[in-house]
Each structure stands twice: as structure tokens, then as C-alpha cells.
């Protein structure tokens, strides 16, 4: 967006608004988004609980492998950020387990999200044995929030004078931090899930403390984090900036007084005819380029684009329309 003034296809202002809410939450409560809001954490937690019930214990990755593997998420963040900036497309989309989760019943699943599906399956199967495998090793969002580990205002502190060294906090920590040996938790791996705080048997020993020694409880931190999201998304929804649905093919008016067409808004669910009409590109051109039949024209693009053996996807259609219009 900074380079060209346009957003990547599949990215809307709503994505920036969600990022804004995450950053506001991070300034106050560090990675509370990761610990308390992210749906992938919920999924991992559910499978972890099931694993605990069935196996009775949690496995741990060998220390050296665990240490180096945690750097992978920074590689993921760097690679996909650079590739997206260079190519101008949302490169991570087919590999993203959360986007894949939303396409579990889509005809695009095996064709468009095979790697994302593999990552999602590895995440849930891995979570059955190990805690937070995706958060610890692969999540680029967790990597992006690293600066807030120190910058975030409210941090967990341990009172060494009242601590009885029971290690219950260490056992509760899903990312294996040695909480019982730390004075203050500023480790970027901490998810701010507060499981250590809730596990501590001695009152006022593990506390969440902010500027001026102001203390808050773990329930307050969860509620306040959700409140930030509700406030940001709610206010921008009411003002019409936050879109709950994908933008239509045409929006606003162009210079000639006609509804303006944006190729970025082409979705797999749009029909070929709708795109032809909105873009002004004759339907015959679509027929010739994508080898369509008359019957295909009234079908959603994704029916043809994600059929087995198809040589193009929705992104290719978008790119072709973009080239035709320039
Ligand atoms: S240190 Fe505490 S808050 Fe941080 S991840 Fe571990 S249990 Fe959660
Ligand atoms: S759970 Fe509380 S008392 Fe036990 S080691 Fe951790 S901080 Fe100390």
C-alpha cells in the first residue's frame, strides 16, 4: 500500500483495522491477542486438552531443536513480507492455516490450500502431543509482536520474597518459560495467557503490573483485550469503514459517471458474466482466454478455476483482467 497506494488483492481496510486493534492491545497488554483472542490458540488448546486427557502428560521437544526451531517464525515473517512487497500479492494465503480453516468445505481446498491444510493438520496433531506448536515455531504474527514484549505496558512480575518455588507456574506455561526463575516476564515467547498467574498458589506473588505499580487481574486483562477489539471493530463498523463482506465489483463512480470497477474485488464466487459486465471486457475474451463454454459464463469463476486439472486460479483471472485494462 505504501509503494503503490493500492491494497493487495484479498486485503481490505478491515484487515488494517484488525491490525490496529491488535497493536493497541499489544501496547497495553503485550501478546494478549495471542494468549486470549487468536482462534488458532483456541484450536491448539482444545487439542492439547484432549491430548492431556488421553496421554496423561505433555511431550517436550528436545531443548536444542526447540531453541533453533523458535527462530523459524521470524524466517516465515521475513520471507512472506518481502515476497508480498515484491510481488504485490498476498503470498502467504495458500499456506495460512487459518485461511485454510475457512476453506475446509470449499472446492478450492485441495487445489488451492494443500500446503495450508498440511500446516493446519500438523498444528492440530502436533498440539495433541506438544503445547502451542504453531505459536512457538511458525506464527508470523507472534514474530511481528516481538517488540511489544518489552514495550507493552502491563507485564507479569514475580515477587521473589513470597515465592515458595513450587514450580507450578513453570508447569502451567504452554511455551515452557522458566517463570519461577524470572523476576519480570519480558520474553517475546510469552503469550500473556496468564496461565502461570492463575496457577500460582500464593496470593500476590505472580502479578500483572503496569505503570506506577498499577495491578490488574488476569480476568480484567482478557475482558479489556476483547473490549479493545469490540470498540475498534464496533466503531469502525458503525461508521461504515469496517466491511463485514467482500467489496462489490463496482463501487463509487468513475470520471464518466459510471460505477467504478476494481479488479482487486474479483472473487471466486463472482460469475464470469458479472466480471465481464463490470469490467467492460467482452465475454468472448474470457471464453477465448480461459476456454469457457456458454454454460460456464453464468457459473462462479471458482467452479472452473479450481476444478481438477485447471491451469489457472482466481488470482490468474484477476491478473489477466488487470492487464487487459491497462
Ligand atoms: S509466562 Fe505465563 S503468561 Fe507467559 S506464556 Fe507462560 S503461562 Fe502464559
Ligand atoms: S507458582 Fe507462584 S509460588 Fe510457585 S514457583 Fe511460580 S511464582 Fe513461585
Amino acid at each position: 500500500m505504501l509503494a503503490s497506494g493500492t491494497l493487495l488483492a484479498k486485503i481490505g481496510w478491515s484487515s488494517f483495522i484488525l491490525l490496529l486493534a491488535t497493536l493497541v492491545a499489544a501496547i497495553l497488554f503485550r501478546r494478549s491477542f495471542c494468549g486470549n483472542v487468536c482462534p488458532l490458540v483456541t484450536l491448539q488448546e482444545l487439542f492439547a486438552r484432549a491430548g492431556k486427557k488421553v496421554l496423561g502428560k505433555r511431550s517436550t521437544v528436545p531443548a536444542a531443536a526447540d531453541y533453533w526451531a523458535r527462530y523459524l517464525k521470524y524466517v516465515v515473517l521475513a520471507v512472506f513480507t518481502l515476497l508480498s512487497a515484491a510481488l504485490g500479492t498476498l503470498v502467504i494465503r495458500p499456506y495460512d492455516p487459518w485461511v485454510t480453516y475457512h476453506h475446509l468445505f470449499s472446492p478450492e481446498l485441495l487445489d488451492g490450500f494443500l500446503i495450508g491444510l498440511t500446516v493446519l493438520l500438523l498444528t492440530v496433531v502436533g498440539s495433541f502431543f506438544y503445547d502451542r506448536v504453531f505459536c512457538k515455531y511458525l506464527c508470523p504474527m507472534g514474530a511481528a509482536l516481538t517488540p511489544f514484549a518489552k514495550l507493552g505496558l502491563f507485564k507479569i512480575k514475580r515477587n521473589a520474597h513470597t515465592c515458595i518455588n513450587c514450580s507450578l507456574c513453570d508447569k502451567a506455561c504452554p511455551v515452557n518459560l522458566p517463570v519461577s526463575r524470572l523476576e519480570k516476564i519480558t520474553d517475546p515467547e510469552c503469550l500473556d495467557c496468564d496461565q502461570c498467574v492463575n496457577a500460582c498458589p500464593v496470593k500476590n506473588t505472580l502479578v500483572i503490573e503496569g505503570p506506577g505499580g498499577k495491578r490488574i487481574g488476569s480476568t480484567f486483562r482478557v475482558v479489556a483485550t476483547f473490549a479493545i477489539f469490540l470498540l475498534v471493530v464496533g466503531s469502525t463498523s458503525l461508521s461504515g469503514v469496517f466491511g463485514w463482506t467482500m467489496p462489490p465489483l463496482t463501487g463509487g463512480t468513475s470520471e464518466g459517471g459510471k460505477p467504478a470497477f476494481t479488479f482487486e474485488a474479483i472473487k471466486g464466487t463472482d460469475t464470469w458474466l458479472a466480471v465481464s459486465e463490470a469490467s467492460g471486457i467482452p465475454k468472448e475474451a474470457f471464453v477465448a482466454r480461459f476456454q469457457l463454454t456458454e454454460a460456464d459464463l453464468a457459473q462462479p469463476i471458482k467452479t472452473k478455476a479450481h476444478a481438477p486439472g485447471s491451469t489457472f486460479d482466481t488470482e490468474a483471472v484477476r491478473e489477466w483482467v488487470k492487464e487487459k485494462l491497462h
Side-chain angles (χ1 to χ4, degrees), residues 163-234:
C163 174
I164 56 172
N165 298 311
C166 64
S167 298
L168 287 176
C169 48
D170 302 343
K171 288 193 191 111
C173 180
V175 292
N176 318 104
L177 290 178
V179 183
S180 64
R181 282 181 273 137
L182 302 169
E183 291 289 304
K184 192 200 280 186
I185 298 178
T186 53
D187 193 306
E189 292 293 314
C190 172
L191 303 172
D192 293 275
C193 63
D194 298 337
Q195 293 198 17
C196 54
V197 177
N198 295 331
C200 180
V202 188
K203 211 172 171 221
N204 292 332
T205 296
L206 276 184
V207 293
I208 309 166
E209 208 173 273
K214 172 90 187 135
R215 289 183 182 179
I216 57 169
S218 55
T219 308
F220 179 86
R221 167 137 78 171
V222 175
V223 172
T225 306
F226 271 92
I228 291 168
F229 276 81
L230 279 179
L231 210 70
V232 173
V233 174

